[in-house]
Amino acid sequence: MTTFGYNTSDIVGRLERVLPKGLFEHCHRVSGIASDMGLRFGCEKNVVELTAWVHDVCRHERGERLISLAKDFGIPVTPLDERAPVLLHGPVGAELLRREWGIVDADILNAVWWHTTGRKGMSVLERVLFLSDKLDPTKDKGYSQNASVRTRSQSDLNGALLEWMSAQVGYQLSHGETIHPSLIDARNALIIERG
Ligand SMILES: [Fe+2]
Ligand SMILES: [Fe+2]
């Protein structure tokens, strides 16, 4: 148990002022989903809710702005990021939260940093945020696996995560899309962990 030194209602008020309405509502829904999921899998309620609230602090920024902030922050920008700068909103968001929002907990910042792609060896908080973000019902149209993953996530966090990632990799392969190496790493790690 860590000491929780954040005033979530102040942070939510600030988010409401800076985020577009639709994005703020997404963060609100994700905080509810993550809170329930976190309760099932051992996360601290105030930590998981705050993490979900702040996870998309940069999602509304334009691609050029994300690339320029990433360069300012010393975050590596890969050719994949150049092609799809939205991939940078997690890393840039995490760095912004650390620099400008006073959020210093490594687990919270890592969860924000990796919430788009996942990574090898994710913490429980990282897993819960990744999945809760994808399971926002407004994303169901884009992710046909969501109904099945949502059911599985009631009892099996890692199985749900693996199912979601496998479906996503399959979709991207079959549509000739790029696949982020961190997503591959995350999926491989889950399979190795499962044994
Ligand atoms: Fe996001
Ligand atoms: Fe999100």
Side-chain angles (χ1 to χ4, degrees), residues 23 26-27 30 52 55-56 59 89 115 129 133-134 136 139:
L23 182 57
H26 161 68
C27 295
V30 175
H55 81 281
D56 270 342
R59 178 63 183 82
H89 81 275
H115 82 266
L129 176 64
D133 176 43
K134 310 303 184 290
D136 175 349
K139 297 188 177 181

Side-chain angles (χ1 to χ4, degrees), residues 152-172:
R152 184 171 291 193
S153 74
Q154 294 299 314
S155 58
D156 178 5
L157 177 63
N158 296 339
L161 199 56
L162 182 56
E163 181 182 347
W164 196 93
M165 289 177 171
S166 295
Q168 179 67 2
V169 168
Y171 178 92
Q172 289 175 319

Side-chain angles (χ1 to χ4, degrees), residues 154-195:
Q154 294 299 314
S155 58
D156 178 5
L157 177 63
N158 296 339
L161 199 56
L162 182 56
E163 181 182 347
W164 196 93
M165 289 177 171
S166 295
Q168 179 67 2
V169 168
Y171 178 92
Q172 289 175 319
L173 266 183
S174 67
H175 287 75
E177 294 180 8
T178 55
I179 304 174
H180 198 286
S182 296
L183 175 62
I184 302 288
D185 284 345
R187 180 174 173 275
N188 287 344
L190 286 168
I191 292 170
I192 291 165
E193 197 181 294
R194 186 183 59 183

Side-chain angles (χ1 to χ4, degrees), residues 79-95:
L80 265 186
D81 299 322
E82 301 265 11
R83 183 181 155 92
V86 68
L87 289 168
L88 290 167
H89 81 275
V92 170
E95 195 54 31

